Each structure stands twice: as C-alpha cells, then as structure tokens.
C-alpha cells in the first residue's frame, strides 16, 4: 500500500512538468508575415510586449507595444525556430490573430506556406489571413496603430467590425481558406489590406503622437485566387456583390437614386441569399436568390415617404440596383478572373452530385459560359425615427 | 447515575471508619468537606456525617434540604422507636420522612459512594448503618446557553449547546416534545467517566444503524474522552480520508432535525458539540437556515455553495494549469494582461501559488490562536504582506493575490467546518497535480476523488447518497431545497421504517 502510494507520488516529479511554460517565458506572437525572397522564406513575427500593452503604472506609450523579429530560411518552420537567436523567448503562436502574405508571394502561391500553419498543433485555426496589397507582409506589419495597441489586433478587430457593418469586407480564417482550396467547386479568396502613405515613421510611436497618424492600415478589396495563386483584386462593388451572393452581408449601407433626382441611402438590416445550380441542355444554369430587408437611412431628395406607392417604388429601384451589383460581380468572375470563387460549383455538388462528377474536371471553364439567374427581393421595413425629411416639411 | 457493578469494600457501620476510608480513597483531597452532626431523627441522638465536594454541590441546598431537616427532627417521634434496632430501616426512614432533598438513593459500596461524591452528590453516613445515602445536590458552574459561535444564522433559533450535557438534552427535548425521543446514557473513558448519551426517535431511526452506533461506542476502550472529536475518531467508518463521515453541530435545532430524519445523535458531556450519524457529503453543504428561509432563496444559496466548493477546491489548480500548460485556452487579451502581471515575477506559478496559500493558511491559523489583544496587529501585517507589499515588490503577481483571495473567501461558504478543512487540503493536492500534469492532472485527480468519495460509507449509508446511488425522491433536498409542503417523505437512506413525513398538502382555494 505504502509502496504503491510512493510510486504514485513519484509520477509527479518524474513524468510531469515536461511541457510547462510560464507565461513570462512566452513570446506571444499576435501577427505573422510571410514573404519570399529568391528561394527563401522571410518570416516576420510580431511579438507583444505584455508590460506595454496591459498598461500599468508608469508604462506610457513611450515604448513600442510590440517587437518584430525577422528571419529567413528555406522552410518557414526553420525560419521561426531560428528566431530564438534574436528573441529571448520562444515564439508562442497559439494566439496568432492575423497571418499576412506579401502580394508577391501570394502571386507565386501560398499553399506550401500554409502547410506548417495547419499542421502544427500549437496553432489554432481561427486567425485571419490577409494579403498586403502592393507591399510585403513585413512592411504591412511595420505600422503602429492607434486605439488597438498591437497592429495585429487592429487588423483583426477592424476586419471583424467592418465585416459586420460594411458589405465589401470579408474575413477569411485559415480553416475557410483550406476548405476552399481543397473543394473543387469554389476557389479561395482572401481580404486585402493596404498601407496608406507607406513611410518609415509608421514603425515608430511618433506615428501615434499625431491626431491623424500619417501611416495607417486599411482593409482594401478582396484578392481572388485560382487554387493557391493570387490572380487579381476585386473592386469594391465586386466585393459587395460577392458578399451578397455568398450570404455574407450582415448589415451595410447602400444608396439608390430617387425618382426625382437626388440620392437616398438604405441600410440593410437583414440579408439572406441562396445559390443553386443545375444543367440545362449541357449548359450550367446558375441561380442567385437574395432577400434583403432594408430601412431608409438618409434622404437627400424630395420624396413623400408616407405613401405606400413611394416605398414600393423605392423597393423596385433598390432591387434593380442590387441586381446590377450582383450581375456585375458574377460577370467579373466569369470574364475578368475566369474563376468560380462564389462556390456555385459546390452548390451544384450539393444539389446534383451525379452531375457534378462530370463537371468538376473542367469546372472553371464551364463556369465561364454559365447562365445566371439573379432574383432579388427587397423589403423596406422602416423609415427611421422621422418619416419625411424635415426639409420637405418646411415647404 | 453510575453502575452498581463495581466491586470493592463495603461500607462500615462506624461513621468515623467510613470517613477515614473515604478520605483515603480521595487521597485527602482538600476540597472534600466533612460535616459531622448529631441528629435525633429516628428517636435517638446519633452521630452522622455529610460528605461533599466543595464547588460541585450547592451549599445552600445542603443546608436547607439536608442539615435543617436532620437537626430539627426528633420532635416528632411517632413510629420511630423501632428504627433503632434495624439500621437499614433507619436509612429508609430518613429518606422517606426526614430529608427533603429530591434524588436520594442508598449505596453500600465504598467505591460507589466515592463515585457519587465526585459526581456532585452528598453522602450521608449514619452511625450504625453499613450503608450511606447519596443525595443529588449537583450544582457546578457552567456557561449559560449562548448564541452559536460558529454556525450562526440570520433567521432561526439562536440557541447553542453548552458544556453541560443535561442542558443540551433538555434543549433538544424542548424542540421535539415527544416521548418517542429516546435517550440512552453511558459512561465512556475509564478515568474520565464521561457521560455520553445516544438520542434517537423511536420508530423513525433505523434499528441497524442504532445497533451499529451502540456497538461502536461499546468498543471504545480508552482512558479519556475530553471532547466529541475523541468519539468521532473512534466511531467513524474510515480513518484514512480527508472527508468527515460524522457531522458535528452546536445547534440543538440541527440535532432535532436530524433526529426527525431518522438519524442518531451522540451528545458528549463537557462539549458544546453534538455528533450526528450517519452523515452524508451533501449534508455538509446544508445550513440550518436553508430550512428556515424561503425555498427559492435557500435553493439559490445552496447552488452558490456548490459553486463556492468548486472555487475553493479547484481555482488555484486551474490557474496553475491554464497559465503554465494551456495558455491557448485564455482569450488573447487576458493572456497578455496576465503575462504582463507576471513580468519579473521570479517564481513559477506553482511556487507562487504555494507561497501565497501557505501565507494565507498561516495568517488564518494565527488569527485563531493569537490573543485577542494583538489581533489588529496581525491583521494589518497580514493585509500588507498578503496584499500590497508582495505585489509591489514584484515577488507575487497581482492575479495570484486575486486567486488566493477568492479561494480563501469561497472556502467559508461551506457551512460545516470539517468539510471546509477537507476542501482546503484537497486544494493543495489539486495544485500539485496541476503543476505536474496541467488539466490532465486535475481531471485525473477529480476522477480519483470521485471514486474515493463514492467508496466511503457512513454507518452503512453510501457517503454520496442520494446522488450516487441516485434516489430521485431525495433530490428535493440536495442541490435545491423544495418547499416544505412538497417534502412529503423523509430521506430514504435514513428512515426505512417510517418514510412518510406528511400527507400531500391539500389547500382549498379561496380559504
């Protein structure tokens, strides 16, 4: 009994503790950027300085809240491990919030680079992928941001917020991307960010000491991929159409022109879409059904909102406008990029699995000459806290 | 009081011989008072002696109910003539016609007389009688009935037991006024001869459990019983466990409620703590007040207590496990802010937690033992040490202080002290497991603890009943406390004889 107890107790010091890490031994990486120079990967990792971020007494913004380590290697894993030569703490990537790719690398293909990130047990798969538009990932990470103390957190939060409030933005996590890349019926996309006014000062806290920081990061456009290679950028309107088609609009604001001239802004309260596909006489026949609930947000024209006929008129105009946006987005996919990043292929796969077997080999080509039926239904449900514009009442 | 089986020398006929023998038995103790007197009671003047222990008896009563009648007797000589011939009859005559004391019995052995003397009786020797009368004149100083010091309630009776067993049994009898409440007394402890009473309600208490209690009590063979803890350790089912299988309380209402559930109470002379058996795990998380407050409030508080139990046992362990093994479980912002607090802390989280927990335990122990007068000094030093200074010096992280504090406070929502001690010790075991194996260790520990708890028995009743084994009927009084009208049955594990507490309440509407 006693021996058994003793042996049991011995397991504590002998077998335990081997993967113990104290929190202050961790280099908590929030952002990672991957570029390629010649045949080597350049990995930049942004590690948070906890003392600077969790502000305690005396720690004012004099010191940068993050530190960036950079290293090169033939594989990403080697490059990351090599960072310990510069960093006192081992890079801990479980809390990675964003992973950036330089546009140049993205055009060459990012599939290989993603292998480590989905293979390693330490990483979670809920961080966002981003493409640094017209820049290297390193440059994009080299910008300090206001409000959110760490740049990766800023990127993470602004993607999340603006995805919910502004239609042209979409968030893509590692899981989403990998799912898209392995499915034959949808090509992946990744959101882009742009450096506004690229300048060296962005990397210093001086950038934050002005009311309007000179260098900033902005969500900008959606990168279109064929397999794992970037092939182009959607415009803002195409991005908007893309999100409507893929049922990714939570709330946004759009405008239509009034019957008598002037503009009227509509806020989307609720939007749902469904895509489908079938074959009609050897030609793919795709359908998009969108139902949107909107409310009148801003009126800059003379119009009588108290009349039901006015509302109906507005609904019709909004439907036309949205149909145009969606058609434009699909056109871009079919003609400009020649890539089905909407997932129509998957819709056919789900609806008609047998048919899909024949289509999947050359789906991208078949998609180009598919017929698309766009069906938009809009309901205006509210007009805000006033009915007619007070400019109208005045007269 | 006392049994008459004791062998030993008989009392002599000469008063002086008896006094000498008694003095020798008590080793000439100075608190033995001998009052010699001459009484004409019985017709003829005779030498008599009263013996009693100073401080255990009430001298006024002795004077009023013994000495006065003895000295004034003799005026009435009717029927006393023949008492001279038979000394035994003289004692009966004194008992029946002269003495006005309440409890009077005859003893004829020296040892019994000595026992009686020590228990606060007055012994009367009469010249020519080879026996003595013992008269109960017990009156020793004892504490009055006070409010309970440890198990206080907001609503409910505010009486607590005292050190006097008679007062205690009376407190219980005053709550359950029923002749079915049975009290059986015995003396345990060869030297201390401590009175131990077993109380139960006939017809509700389980006979086998009662026999088991009596058997275990009769097996105790020790010199001294000084407190209920002695008895508890002799009769408990399992010695090698942290968890109490005997409940103790200082509240008569708790004992009364237990008796009515079919449990058995053991009262011990000289302590304000009564023992209750069988005792189950869930009962250590029930407070007397649960039954006095409204059912909904009681239920919420009870759930809160289970939550507190969980915090007290596991939070430091979880903190250690998560911050040293599973940092990915924390939200990013929380991780960064915790990591910031740990910047510059020289110890691993486990050592840090151990230091703080140990400090707290020391403070707490000191708080109980220290003289009242220095209390403030200790608490100031304690606050500074455990609080500010350690953090400001950068030795301990602020979050650890929060963890230790919340743990310490949560520990006190457990109403029974025995259980809260058990939980305290369990916490250290879990901390060790967490430091070595992380969450994995904690879960292994929890499984082991659960198996251990399920293996315990308290006087034949599974310790985790009514949860494991599950009894649906009894769930009314586990996590929640059902309103009294709904609790129609007694707990099934205690009272197999008489399970119905009340018939279903029927209330006509509009009345």
């Amino acid at each position: 009994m006693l021996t058994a107890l003793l042996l049991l107790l011995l397991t504590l010091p002998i077998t335990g503790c081997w993967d113990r890490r104290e929190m202050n031994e961790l280099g908590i990486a929030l952002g990672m950027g991957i570029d390629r120079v010649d045949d080597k990967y350049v990995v930049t990792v942004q590690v948070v300085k906890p003392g600077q971020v969790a502000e305690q007494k005396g720690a004012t913004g004099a010191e940068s809240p993050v530190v960036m380590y950079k290293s090169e290697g033939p594989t990403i894993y080697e490059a990351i491990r090599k960072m310990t030569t510069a960093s006192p703490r081992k890079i801990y990537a479980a809390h990675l919030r964003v992973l950036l790719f330089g546009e140049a690398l993205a055009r060459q293909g990012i599939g290989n680079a993603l292998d480590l990130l989905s293979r390693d047990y330490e990483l979670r798969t809920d961080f966002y992928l981003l493409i640094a538009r017209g820049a290297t990932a390193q440059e994009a990470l080299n910008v300090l941001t206001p409000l959110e103390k760490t740049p990766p957190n800023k990127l993470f939060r602004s993607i999340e917020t603006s995805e919910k409030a502004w239609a042209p933005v979409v968030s893509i996590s590692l899981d989403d991307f990998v799912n898209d890349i392995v499915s034959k019926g949808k090509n992946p996309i990744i959101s882009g960010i742009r450096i506004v006014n690229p300048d060296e000062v962005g990397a210093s806290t001086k950038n934050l000491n002005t009311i309007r920081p000179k260098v900033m990061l902005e969500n900008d456009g959606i990168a279109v991929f064929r397999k794992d290679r970037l092939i182009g950028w959607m415009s803002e309107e195409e991005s908007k159409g893309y999100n409507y088609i893929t049922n990714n609009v939570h709330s946004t604001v759009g405008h239509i022109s009034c019957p008598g001239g002037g503009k009227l802004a509509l806020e989307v309260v609720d939007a749902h879409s469904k895509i489908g596909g079938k074959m009609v006489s050897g030609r793919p026949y795709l359908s998009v059904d969108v139902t949107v609930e909107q409310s009148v947000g801003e009126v800059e024209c003379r119009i009588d909102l108290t009349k039901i006929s006015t509302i109906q008129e507005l609904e019709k105009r909004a439907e036309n406008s949205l149909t145009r946006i969606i058609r434009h987005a699909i056109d871009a996919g079919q003609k400009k990029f020649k890539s089905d990043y909407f997932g129509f292929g998957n819709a056919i796969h789900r609806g008609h699995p047998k048919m899909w077997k024949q289509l999947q080999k050359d789906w991208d080509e078949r998609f180009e000459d598919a017929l698309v039926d766009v069906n938009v239904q809009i309901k205006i449900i509210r007009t805000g806290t006033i009915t007619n514009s007070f400019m109208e009442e005045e007269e | 009081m006392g049994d008459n089986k004791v062998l030993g020398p008989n009392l002599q006929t000469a008063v002086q011989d008896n006094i000498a023998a008694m003095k020798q038995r008590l080793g000439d103790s100075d608190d033995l008072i001998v009052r010699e007197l001459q009484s004409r009671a019985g017709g003829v003047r005779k030498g008599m002696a009263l013996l009693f222990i100073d401080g255990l008896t009430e001298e006024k009563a002795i004077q009023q109910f013994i000495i006065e009648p003895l000295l004034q007797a003799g005026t009435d000589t009717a029927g006393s003539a023949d008492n001279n011939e038979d000394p035994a009859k003289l004692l009966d005559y004194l008992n029946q016609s002269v003495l006005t004391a309440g409890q009077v019995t005859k003893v004829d052995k020296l040892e019994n007389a000595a026992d009686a003397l020590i228990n606060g009786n007055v012994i009367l020797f009469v010249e020519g009688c080879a026996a003595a009368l013992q008269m109960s004149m017990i009156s020793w100083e004892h504490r009055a009935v006070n409010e309970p010091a440890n198990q206080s309630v907001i609503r409910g009776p505010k009486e607590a037991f005292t050190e006097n067993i008679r007062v205690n049994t009376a407190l219980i009898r005053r709550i359950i006024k029923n002749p079915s409440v049975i009290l059986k007394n015995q003396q345990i402890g060869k030297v201390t001869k401590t009175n131990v009473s077993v109380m139960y309600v006939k017809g509700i208490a389980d006979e086998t459990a009662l026999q088991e209690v009596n058997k275990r009590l009769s097996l105790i063979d020790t010199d001294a019983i000084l407190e209920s803890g002695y008895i508890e350790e002799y009769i408990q089912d399992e010695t090698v466990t942290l968890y109490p299988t005997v409940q103790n309380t200082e509240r008569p209402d708790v004992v009364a409620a237990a008796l009515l559930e079919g449990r058995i109470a053991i009262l011990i002379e000289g302590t304000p703590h009564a023992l209750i058996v069988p005792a189950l795990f869930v009962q250590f998380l029930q407070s007397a007040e649960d039954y006095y407050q409204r059912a909904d409030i009681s239920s919420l508080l009870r759930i809160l207590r289970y939550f507190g139990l969980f915090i007290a046992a596991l939070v430091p362990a979880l903190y250690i496990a998560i911050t040293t093994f599973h940092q990915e479980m924390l939200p990013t912002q929380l991780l960064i802010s915790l990591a910031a607090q740990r910047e510059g802390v020289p110890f691993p989280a486990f050592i840090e937690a151990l230091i703080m927990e140990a400090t707290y335990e020391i403070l707490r122990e000191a708080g109980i033992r220290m003289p009242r007068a220095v209390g403030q000094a200790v608490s100031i030093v304690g606050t500074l040490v455990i609080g500010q200074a350690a953090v400001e010096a950068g030795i301990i992280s602020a979050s650890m202080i929060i963890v230790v504090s919340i743990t310490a406070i949560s520990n006190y929502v457990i109403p029974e002290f025995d259980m809260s001690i058990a939980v305290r010790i369990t916490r250290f075991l879990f901390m060790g497991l967490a430091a070595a194996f992380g969450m994995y260790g904690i879960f292994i520990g929890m499984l082991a603890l659960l198996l251990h708890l399920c293996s315990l028995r308290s006087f034949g009743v599974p310790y985790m009943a009514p949860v494991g084994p599950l009894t649906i009927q009894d769930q009314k009084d586990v996590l929640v406390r059902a309103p009294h009208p709904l609790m129609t049955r007694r707990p099934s594990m205690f009272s197999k004889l008489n399970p119905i507490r009340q018939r279903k309440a029927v209330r006509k509407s509009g009345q």
Side-chain angles (χ1 to χ4, degrees):
Chain A
M1 173 69 192
L2 202 68
T3 334
L5 201 73
L6 217 67
L7 284 174
L8 206 67
L9 281 176
L10 271 177
T11 56
L12 257 72
I14 291 174
T15 65
C17 308
W18 63 272
D19 59 346
R20 218 190 95 243
R21 296 164 299 197
E22 293 298 333
M23 283 184 298
N24 47 357
E25 294 164 5
L26 299 176
I28 304 164
L30 292 185
M32 186 184 286
I34 301 178
D35 293 301
R36 202 173 168 89
V37 170
D38 304 328
D39 58 342
K40 277 190 171 172
Y41 285 108
V42 179
V43 180
T44 29
V45 169
Q46 213 166 59
V47 175
V48 71
K49 297 182 192 162
Q52 291 300 315
V53 174
E55 195 161 329
Q56 286 174 327
K57 271 179 261 170
T60 45
E63 201 181 317
S64 147
V66 286
V67 56
M68 201 146 84
Y69 295 110
K70 178 183 154 187
S71 73
E72 292 175 18
T75 63
I76 296 174
Y77 211 4
E78 281 170 274
I80 291 177
R81 279 293 169 91
K82 213 165 118 186
M83 261 170 216
T84 47
T85 57
S87 159
R89 297 178 182 182
K90 199 176 155 209
I91 304 299
Y92 176 71
H95 282 269
L96 203 65
R97 314 231 77 182
V98 289
L99 174 63
L100 265 76
F101 291 101
E103 184 168 347
L105 171 62
R107 287 194 185 273
Q108 291 171 37
I110 58 175
N112 294 334
L114 286 175
D115 183 83
L116 166 76
L117 299 162
S118 46
R119 191 184 295 279
D120 195 274
Y121 68 89
E122 195 178 83
L123 281 117
R124 289 151 53 135
T125 48
D126 60 350
F127 53 87
Y128 291 147
L129 303 186
L130 290 170
I131 305 288
R133 193 165 183 177
T136 64
Q138 187 197 336
E139 286 162 351
L141 279 175
N142 212 10
V143 177
L144 282 178
T145 53
L147 290 181
E148 287 293 340
K149 286 196 169 169
T150 58
N153 227 21
K154 184 264 163 207
L155 294 171
F156 184 87
R157 296 297 272 274
S158 72
I159 281 267
E160 284 214 318
T161 342
S162 96
E163 186 188 29
K164 283 186 192 126
W166 188 237
V169 177
V170 61
S171 66
I172 297 291
S173 69
L174 179 66
D175 269 351
D176 298 333
F177 188 84
V178 171
N179 277 344
D180 286 355
I181 221 168
V182 295
S183 93
K184 292 201 166 75
K186 184 178 189 315
N187 272 317
I189 52 135
I190 297 183
S191 257
I193 54 159
R194 192 169 61 89
I195 311 171
V196 185
N197 284 328
D199 189 286
E200 268 302 305
V201 79
S204 126
T205 47
K206 265 187 223 152
N207 193 36
L208 302 177
N209 286 341
T210 50
I211 290 182
R212 188 177 157 70
K214 188 175 176 206
V215 190
M216 288 206 277
L217 295 173
E218 255 183 20
N219 296 329
D220 185 25
I222 298 177
V224 179
F225 281 71
R226 190 176 296 125
K227 290 290 140 201
D228 67 332
R229 276 164 213 268
L230 191 152
I231 50 173
W233 293 90
M234 285 185 226
S235 68
E236 188 171 84
E237 196 173 79
E238 287 159 7
S239 306
K240 196 171 184 176
Y242 168 84
N243 276 330
Y244 270 113
I245 294 166
T246 52
N247 193 17
N248 194 34
V249 174
H250 308 279
S251 167
T252 188
V253 176
H255 74 268
I256 52 172
S257 47
C258 296
K263 287 198 169 61
L264 186 141
L266 290 169
E267 183 194 2
V268 173
V269 183
D270 191 33
H272 290 285
S273 76
K274 212 177 154 229
I275 55 175
K278 55 184 177 185
M279 293 295 281
V280 176
S281 56
R283 207 170 160 195
Y285 187 81
L286 310 173
S287 67
V288 182
D289 294 295
V290 185
T291 45
V292 182
E293 283 186 356
Q294 294 185 317
S295 64
V296 176
E298 188 178 342
V299 181
E300 292 181 8
C301 56
R302 301 287 174 266
I303 193 167
D304 187 4
L305 287 172
T306 54
K307 286 200 187 118
I308 288 179
S309 60
T310 325
I311 301 292
Q312 284 168 342
E313 170 70 22
L314 290 179
E315 282 173 353
K316 199 183 280 168
R317 281 170 177 266
E319 278 168 10
N320 288 338
S321 154
L322 187 53
T323 310
R324 209 167 44 243
I325 291 172
I326 290 173
R327 283 222 172 271
H328 180 69
I330 295 174
D331 272 357
Q334 286 180 317
K335 311 244 162 63
K336 197 156 102 191
F337 302 116
K338 302 184 196 309
S339 163
D340 172 20
Y341 42 82
F342 303 103
F344 284 113
N346 283 346
I348 297 180
H349 191 175
R350 277 194 298 272
H352 308 276
K354 277 184 196 147
M355 217 174 274
W356 176 246
K357 278 203 176 131
Q358 302 153 15
L359 285 170
Q360 61 173 335
K361 275 166 271 163
D362 50 353
W363 172 242
D364 276 346
E365 287 87 68
R366 301 292 285 270
F367 171 67
E368 280 172 45
D369 58 9
L371 284 173
V372 187
D373 178 31
V374 179
N375 181 12
V376 177
Q377 273 193 320
I378 288 183
K379 225 173 148 51
I380 292 176
I381 53 172
R382 278 186 287 273
T383 60
T385 51
I386 51 175
T387 39
N388 283 337
S389 163
F390 52 80
M391 298 292 284
E392 178 91 347
E393 303 286 334
E394 207 173 59
E395 281 158 17
Chain B
M1 213 171 271
D3 49 75
N4 290 314
K5 279 178 214 158
V6 181
L7 297 171
N10 290 329
L11 290 168
Q12 306 295 308
T13 48
V15 169
Q16 290 307 324
D17 288 352
N18 282 334
I19 294 175
M22 206 59 135
K23 276 191 170 167
Q24 197 200 346
R25 181 68 189 84
L26 296 180
D28 258 334
S29 293
D30 289 331
D31 56 352
L32 174 66
I33 310 288
V34 180
R35 168 79 157 86
E36 287 179 71
L37 50 93
Q38 302 276 318
S39 169
R40 288 174 58 86
V44 183
R45 180 181 293 269
K46 272 192 187 256
M48 295 184 186
L50 285 172
L51 282 78
F52 55 90
I53 304 281
D54 198 15
L56 295 183
T57 48
E58 198 180 339
E59 286 194 48
K60 244 188 189 164
I62 296 176
Q63 188 198 326
Q64 195 178 347
F65 302 120
I66 304 175
I67 300 181
E68 265 181 33
L70 282 176
L71 291 182
Q72 284 168 8
T75 42
D76 167 32
T77 51
S80 60
D82 47 331
N83 290 326
N84 283 325
E85 281 101 69
D86 192 348
K89 278 191 179 162
L90 176 60
L91 285 183
D92 286 341
Y93 172 75
L94 286 177
N95 182 2
Q96 288 159 10
S97 309
V98 178
L99 296 167
T100 50
Q103 280 184 35
V104 182
T105 39
K106 206 154 83 173
V107 283
D108 52 6
K109 297 270 192 239
L110 179 70
E111 195 59 34
N112 289 347
D115 266 358
L117 197 61
I118 286 300
N119 275 308
N121 289 282
V122 176
I123 302 291
L124 174 67
F125 292 130
V126 178
E127 188 66 39
C129 299
L133 289 180
Q134 73 172 62
M135 289 155 284
S136 176
M137 286 287 146
I138 302 171
S139 158
W140 53 67
E141 286 304 317
H142 60 81
R143 217 159 47 90
V145 175
N146 278 331
E147 279 197 32
N150 304 322
Q151 296 171 329
S152 50
V153 294
I154 291 173
R155 180 174 178 181
K158 300 259 191 322
E159 280 176 340
F161 288 134
T162 70
E163 284 75 9
N164 187 327
I165 191 169
R166 269 291 80 73
V167 173
N168 295 351
T169 53
L171 285 173
I172 297 168
R173 280 208 186 270
R174 261 168 46 198
I175 299 174
I176 316 175
K177 296 174 206 72
N178 194 311
S180 293
V181 177
I182 312 291
L183 187 143
K184 290 284 177 203
N185 193 66
Q186 55 187 302
Q187 287 189 334
I188 301 179
K190 280 178 297 196
V191 176
T192 58
K193 304 208 167 113
T194 309
N195 287 307
V196 174
S197 296
V198 175
M199 271 183 114
Y200 61 96
V201 181
K202 202 177 176 64
I204 298 178
D206 187 29
E207 286 296 327
T208 49
L210 186 64
Q211 280 166 16
E212 188 64 31
V213 170
N214 284 328
K215 197 182 109 199
R216 290 190 195 176
L217 285 176
S218 67
L219 286 175
I220 299 175
D221 179 34
T222 180
D223 276 3
I225 299 293
L226 296 181
E227 213 276 331
S228 61
Y230 286 55
I231 300 275
E232 177 177 342
E233 291 202 351
Y234 281 115
I235 65 171
Q236 68 190 356
D237 291 60
E238 183 76 60
T239 310
V240 194
T241 180
L242 295 174
Y243 288 82
T245 50
V246 176
Q247 188 182 349
N248 77 71
T249 182
E250 46 178 0
R251 300 182 58 87
D253 53 326
V254 169
V255 172
L259 294 181
L260 292 170
E261 280 185 341
R263 298 159 77 198
I264 298 154
I266 304 167
L267 285 85
I268 296 104
E269 188 184 10
T271 177
H273 295 274
L275 302 179
I276 303 172
V277 293
L280 308 183
F281 183 84
V282 295
Q283 288 173 329
F284 289 93
L285 287 153
Q286 299 171 350
S287 149
E289 207 169 1
D290 288 359
Y291 302 92
Y292 308 147
Q293 276 176 332
R294 295 175 49 81
D296 39 13
I297 299 169
S298 306
S299 301
L300 280 176
L301 289 180
R302 213 173 252 186
I303 293 166
L304 185 78
R305 259 178 239 144
Y306 280 94
F307 193 58
L309 176 82
F310 174 80
I311 293 177
L314 288 181
V315 162
L318 285 174
Y319 181 83
I320 292 170
I322 291 176
T323 59
T324 56
F325 287 96
H326 317 288
Q327 293 94 349
E328 58 276 3
M329 283 176 71
L330 293 167
T332 307
Q333 285 303 317
L334 185 59
L335 173 69
I336 292 172
S337 107
L338 288 180
Q341 289 170 33
R342 271 199 65 82
E343 287 295 323
V345 173
F347 305 109
F350 174 59
I351 302 295
E352 205 187 343
L354 219 52
I355 291 174
M356 286 320 284
E357 289 287 351
T359 313
Y360 171 68
E361 294 296 331
I362 290 168
L363 275 173
R364 174 168 142 140
E365 185 62 15
I368 300 171
R369 309 288 158 226
M370 72 197 169
R372 294 254 163 85
V374 298
Q376 214 161 11
V378 171
S379 55
I380 289 172
V381 172
T383 335
L384 290 179
V385 168
I386 204 171
Q388 267 177 307
V391 175
E392 272 175 23
I395 295 171
I396 303 292
S397 63
S399 48
M400 185 56 80
I401 303 279
I402 298 171
V403 167
V404 171
S405 315
I406 185 75
T407 313
I409 295 167
S410 298
N411 208 43
Y412 293 109
V413 302
I414 302 168
E416 299 280 337
F417 193 63
D418 281 357
M419 181 56 78
S420 77
I421 294 175
V423 170
R424 252 158 80 194
I425 303 172
T426 313
R427 176 200 309 159
F428 283 96
L429 298 180
F430 275 116
M431 278 162 63
L433 284 171
F437 303 114
M439 285 296 238
Y440 183 69
I442 293 180
F443 280 96
I444 294 288
M446 279 169 81
L447 280 176
L449 180 64
L450 193 67
L451 287 177
H452 173 66
L453 288 175
C454 288
S455 75
L456 289 177
R457 295 280 183 281
S458 177
F459 288 82
V461 180
Y463 191 48
M464 291 307 276
V467 181
L470 185 73
T471 328
I472 301 293
Q473 174 66 31
D474 297 335
Q475 298 303 313
K476 286 177 184 174
D477 196 11
V478 178
L479 257 184
V480 296
R481 200 274 287 169
H484 288 300
L486 295 181
M487 290 205 282
T488 50
R489 287 168 165 269
R490 298 178 214 284
S492 60
M493 51 273 177
F494 302 134
S495 184
K496 288 156 194 119
L497 287 174
N498 186 356
I500 306 294
R501 195 182 259 151
Q502 58 182 354
R503 263 171 293 156
K504 208 161 241 157
V506 181
R507 189 164 42 183
K508 282 178 194 160
S509 58
Q511 283 189 334

